[in-house]
């Protein structure tokens, strides 16, 4: 498996524009997580899904942020409208719960978002 | 509230010496902890984990210690190598299947 795949790797956009980040989890994983990395907060959990259903979105900072998982192999994180303070690296991760318990989460390479 | 704290933002160590990275947590209900390593422009990668039925787990040069009474865990790297220079995150796995991460410690191993 190629691992968790995120696109784009880099995104530069103007304030007020819509931004969509994409993620393909590892095949067979039933959990998908969206994290944001900043200097102040480290890796901050935004939202996570189980079997394509959002379980906890309490980390989503504002209504400008939304996430979807239409099927087991694809998820999006959308910011509309974007603001300069949204500039950060966004990571997607997936994991498998399994019968014997959890595994570690596997991360994608991240999307570096810059809002100017 | 579940929080994971890494109070040292950075650490420098000479090559060959021991690196000790620390992590504190607030909620003792959740008993599985992980360490991740992150290089620049890459995603975090899993390094080592420990569950509360143990107080130590070892994998090569990496050992994680868990002190449940103090709600504290630490990662020891012996001997440290320049390739270990990275940001290290500790994480707590909750019963609701989510991973809560700390703010990270940047380790620099000096040759």
């Amino acid at each position: 498996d190629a691992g968790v795949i995120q696109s784009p790797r880099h995104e530069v956009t103007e304030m007020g524009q819509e931004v969509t980040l994409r993620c393909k989890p590892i095949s067979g994983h039933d959990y998908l997580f969206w994290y944001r990395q900043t200097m102040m907060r480290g890796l901050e959990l935004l939202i996570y899904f189980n079997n394509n259903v959002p379980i906890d979105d309490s980390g989503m900072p504002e209504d400008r942020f939304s996430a979807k998982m239409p099927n087991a192999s694809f998820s999006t994180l959308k910011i509309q409208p974007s603001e300069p303070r949204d500039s950060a690296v966004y990571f997607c991760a997936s994991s498998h719960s399994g019968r014997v318990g959890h595994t570690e989460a596997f991360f994608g390479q991240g999307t570096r978002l810059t809002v100017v | 509230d579940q929080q994971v704290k890494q109070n040292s933002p950075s650490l420098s160590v000479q090559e060959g010496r021991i690196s000790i990275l620390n992590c504190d947590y607030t909620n003792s209900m959740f008993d599985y902890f992980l360490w991740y390593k992150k290089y620049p422009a890459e995603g975090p990668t899993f390094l080592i984990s420990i569950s509360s039925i143990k107080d130590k787990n070892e994998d090569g040069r990496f050992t994680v210690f868990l002190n449940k009474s103090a709600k504290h865990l630490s990662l020891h790297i012996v001997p440290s190598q320049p390739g270990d220079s990275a940001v290290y995150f500790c994480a707590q796995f909750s019963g609701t299947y989510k991973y809560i991460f700390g703010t990270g410690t940047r380790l620099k191993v000096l040759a």
Side-chain angles (χ1 to χ4, degrees), chain A residues 34-46 87-91 107, chain B residues 4-6 9 38 44 87-91 99-106:
Chain A
W34 282 100
Y35 286 90
R36 177 170 69 175
Q37 184 190 7
T38 62
M39 289 295 292
M40 292 299 295
R41 297 188 178 210
L43 280 169
E44 181 185 15
L45 179 63
L46 302 177
S87 299
V89 182
Y90 291 80
F91 289 101
F107 281 78
Chain B
V4 175
K5 297 178 182 179
Q6 294 177 255
K38 185 187 177 305
V87 178
Y88 290 80
F89 292 95
C90 70
Y99 303 81
I100 304 298
F101 285 81
T103 50
T105 297
R106 182 177 301 276

Side-chain angles (χ1 to χ4, degrees), chain A residues 29-34 47-57 67-75, chain B residues 96-97:
Chain A
H29 282 191
D30 52 348
Y31 282 85
L32 183 139
F33 308 86
W34 282 100
I47 185 171
Y48 74 104
F49 297 81
N50 175 223
N51 290 324
N52 313 338
V53 176
I55 302 300
D56 183 350
D57 66 354
K68 293 182 180 179
M69 192 165 185
N71 57 63
S73 59
F74 184 65
S75 177
Chain B
T96 53
Y97 278 95

